[in-house]
Amino acid sequence: MQRAAALLRRGCGPRTPGPWGRNQSSAAAEASAVLNVRPERSRRERILTLESMNPQVKAVEYAVRGPIVLKAGEIELELQRGIKKPFTEVIRANIGDAQAMGQQPITFLRQVMALCTYPNLLDSPSFPEDAKKRARRILQACGGNSLGSYSASQGVNCIREDVAAYITRRDGGVPADPDNIYLTTGASDGISTILKILVSGGGKSRTGVLIPIPQYPLYSAVISELDAIQVNYYLDEENCWALNVNELRRAVKEAKDHCDPKVLCIINPGNPTGQVQSRKCIEDVIHFAWEEKLFLLADEVYQDNVYSPDCRFHSFKKVLYEMGPEYSSNVELASFHSTSKGYMGECGYRGGYMEVINLHPEIKGQLVKLLSVRLCPPVSGQAAMDIVVNPPVPGEESFEQFSREKESVLGNLAKKAKLTEDLFNQVPGIHCNPLQGAMYAFPRIFLPAKAVEAAQAHQMAPDMFYCMKLLEETGICVVPGSGFGQREGTYHFRFCSGTFPVRAPPEKVVI
């Protein structure tokens, strides 16, 4: 092989006589002959293929970033290359990524994060003292006074204490124990983690997880990944997407024939449906969970996003405790919050928390063990969560600016929600329920028979066909309702009302 390499080196360049009277081309030919002495090995088969991969992973679907979004990316590239379209940009209404669509960060949050990330700024007169105070407290709780260090698997202790104090204030004095707080990589991480512990059994004893339909696709994705059993209960579209306990009873009764219903997931305020549950509804759900021995998961990441004057956010934790010790001492509940939504919109920090109550002490140890596998959630995300639960208070230097910015964001989101609802209801063939909270609309579209036939001819779900046409003709990227679940024979799409300036409704879409 060394001889072959030497011959190849001599074979480079123009054909000139070599030192032995041969040209370099013939030297290269000899080198090639030497290399070919060794027989070529056949290429071995790949270990990982679609057939050999984990089938549970292959079953996972996540419509929010599915085929429609890939098509949106292709169209954006075409626009960049100068290809003419009926529009000049793609409006990404498929995901609640507020800052990507122009929402301005809250100044105080970013000031504290800047100080935590670069502590030399603590000496700068450009930063307010209340921001410096919070940054110092967070850094003193970090190893080496640095966000770059690992934290405890459950999260930085002082941040968990601040989360517990926030929950106590939010719930009018109902106590929260820092030991029940688990800081997470966004709310999604907490939901996935608790479901991992809850899922067990096989066959008819396999864990059944009740989820609302329509749902946020995280739930169906995690259920598929864990090979659990998805149990659908349908929200009442005719009654502003309300949750009816009789529908829960139907779902549980039917599920018991093929699985063990053990978990009940609630999203309040609703994603993608935008409803806010009444206190009476929450009481009914808690009683049902107590009656059926169900573990409650309360996804409350939109708790700051309530727009209707007739609605108010009620946490499951508060209502549970106010129902008395028979419930508060027995019903197992995990609730979730996040930095990504609300007025913050800090999706990229991946900050969140999970509060778990009435968890068996031995299960607490198992939960911490499972969290330890991923070492810890991002410490920067934990710091961002701390600022959400420990904002400026009256009398502090930053309070007025913080309050002004917070109210401005929430006010704009409320206006956009109302404008979205009104615009959709002006379009023939579209009906949108009142948007009471969260950041989304889930309007129903009434497709003509020819449109359904055309979709079938393209081997597409009718609402996917509609959304694809909407994207191609208007540049508006939304997600078909089939990605969230819907009653058979109905068609919808999810539209993120809070992440971009609302424009003309899609009344000119031809299908």
Side-chain angles (χ1 to χ4, degrees):
M1 293 296 290
Q2 290 176 344
R3 180 187 171 201
L7 289 169
L8 279 174
R9 286 196 295 271
R10 289 202 300 273
C12 297
R15 293 188 179 185
T16 54
W20 300 288
R22 296 178 299 165
N23 64 40
Q24 293 182 2
S25 178
S26 62
E30 184 177 344
S32 179
V34 172
L35 288 172
N36 285 331
V37 169
R38 187 173 181 178
E40 187 177 333
R41 291 185 178 180
S42 61
R43 185 172 181 174
R44 70 173 176 85
E45 293 182 359
R46 294 187 186 276
I47 295 169
L48 184 59
T49 64
L50 282 174
E51 290 71 31
S52 67
M53 71 175 287
N54 184 336
Q56 271 63 62
V57 174
K58 191 159 57 173
V60 169
E61 295 183 1
Y62 188 65
V64 173
R65 298 196 177 194
I68 198 85
V69 181
L70 296 177
K71 181 65 176 179
E74 293 174 9
I75 292 175
E76 285 177 329
L77 291 175
E78 290 175 353
L79 288 170
Q80 292 171 16
R81 294 199 301 267
I83 298 175
K84 297 298 182 183
K85 302 282 183 183
F87 46 87
T88 58
E89 63 176 324
V90 171
I91 303 297
R92 289 182 175 264
N94 63 293
I95 195 166
D97 192 354
Q99 293 188 21
M101 301 307 297
Q103 180 177 307
Q104 293 302 301
I106 298 297
T107 300
F108 185 77
L109 189 149
R110 286 300 181 87
Q111 286 174 332
V112 178
M113 293 305 301
L115 292 164
C116 288
T117 304
Y118 190 60
N120 288 356
L121 294 173
L122 287 165
D123 297 326
S124 170
S126 300
F127 290 81
E129 286 303 317
D130 49 358
K132 292 179 179 179
K133 177 182 176 182
R134 282 162 177 76
R136 290 190 183 100
R137 182 168 181 269
I138 293 169
L139 289 172
Q140 286 168 5
C142 295
N145 294 325
S146 173
L147 288 188
S149 61
Y150 290 125
S151 77
S153 298
Q154 198 169 338
V156 175
N157 286 338
C158 77
I159 298 177
R160 289 166 47 222
E161 292 170 359
D162 287 346
V163 170
Y166 161 80
I167 293 172
T168 301
R169 291 194 309 271
R170 181 199 68 187
D171 293 343
V174 175
D177 184 349
D179 192 46
N180 292 334
I181 306 298
Y182 301 81
L183 301 180
T184 57
T185 309
S188 301
D189 174 48
I191 293 165
S192 301
T193 300
I194 199 71
L195 281 173
K196 284 180 183 177
I197 289 184
L198 281 161
V199 172
S200 64
K204 288 188 176 182
S205 66
R206 191 67 172 156
T207 297
V209 182
L210 284 90
I211 63 172
I213 297 298
Q215 53 111 14
Y216 177 53
L218 163 72
Y219 292 93
S220 55
V222 174
I223 290 168
S224 292
E225 183 182 352
L226 298 176
D227 197 23
I229 306 300
Q230 177 175 318
V231 179
N232 297 336
Y233 66 89
Y234 290 89
L235 301 177
D236 185 358
E237 184 172 9
E238 304 303 318
N239 191 23
C240 200
W241 299 111
L243 194 166
N244 190 310
V245 172
N246 288 331
E247 171 61 13
L248 290 178
R249 289 196 177 94
R250 177 208 62 78
V252 168
K253 182 179 179 181
E254 293 180 6
K256 286 179 177 178
D257 291 337
H258 60 274
C259 69
D260 176 20
K262 195 161 67 177
V263 187
L264 172 57
C265 302
I266 310 290
I267 308 174
N268 179 49
N271 175 10
T273 42
Q275 87 284 4
V276 179
Q277 291 181 2
S278 68
R279 180 190 172 86
K280 176 63 166 60
C281 176
I282 294 173
E283 288 179 354
D284 290 345
V285 169
I286 290 172
H287 177 75
F288 178 79
W290 174 84
E291 190 177 57
E292 292 289 340
K293 297 183 174 61
L294 298 172
F295 194 113
L296 272 174
L297 302 188
D299 182 338
E300 299 175 334
V301 303
Y302 294 99
Q303 59 189 260
D304 290 305
N305 301 103
V306 177
Y307 312 129
S308 172
D310 300 326
C311 296
R312 181 184 170 194
F313 171 74
H314 301 277
S315 78
F316 269 76
K317 162 82 175 295
K318 180 181 181 182
V319 176
L320 176 65
Y321 270 75
E322 290 177 347
M323 288 176 70
E326 184 176 14
Y327 296 94
S328 61
S329 300
N330 292 293
V331 175
E332 294 152 284
L333 168 70
S335 56
F336 309 90
H337 196 16
S338 167
T339 65
S340 300
K341 310 303 176 185
Y343 59 90
M344 304 79 66
E346 295 287 2
C347 305
Y349 275 117
R350 306 309 300 131
Y353 74 73
M354 168 175 64
E355 182 187 24
V356 187
I357 59 175
N358 292 323
L359 201 64
H360 192 286
E362 292 178 357
I363 296 299
K364 275 190 176 184
Q366 294 296 316
L367 178 56
V368 172
K369 177 185 73 174
L370 184 58
L371 293 171
S372 299
V373 173
R374 55 95 157 111
L375 296 177
C376 68
V379 180
S380 56
Q382 296 182 50
M385 191 75 249
D386 185 76
I387 303 157
V388 172
V389 300
N390 186 24
V393 296
E396 287 190 307
E397 181 179 352
S398 301
F399 177 73
E400 288 188 10
Q401 181 183 12
F402 171 81
S403 299
R404 188 170 59 251
E405 292 178 353
K406 175 181 176 180
E407 293 307 314
S408 175
V409 171
L410 292 176
N412 284 333
L413 289 172
K415 289 177 183 177
K416 289 179 179 181
K418 181 59 176 171
L419 183 57
T420 299
E421 174 191 332
D422 291 344
L423 282 172
F424 279 136
N425 284 327
Q426 293 173 21
V427 181
I430 295 181
H431 173 73
C432 183
N433 273 324
L435 304 184
Q436 299 172 334
M439 293 167 58
Y440 310 100
F442 199 67
R444 183 172 178 179
I445 45 178
F446 298 87
L447 298 177
K450 288 185 177 180
V452 176
E453 292 171 5
Q456 292 169 347
H458 286 80
Q459 296 184 327
M460 297 171 70
D463 50 5
M464 171 64 86
F465 185 66
Y466 176 90
C467 291
M468 197 65 75
K469 285 288 187 181
L470 179 67
L471 173 62
E472 292 171 348
E473 296 187 20
T474 70
I476 298 175
C477 178
V478 297
V479 188
S482 49
F484 298 86
Q486 55 197 351
R487 284 193 180 274
E488 187 73 25
T490 67
Y491 309 112
H492 303 77
F493 61 84
R494 189 186 80 158
F495 177 93
C496 185
S497 62
T499 57
F500 74 96
V502 181
R503 302 184 181 180
E507 57 186 345
K508 296 182 180 180
V509 179
V510 180
I511 55 176

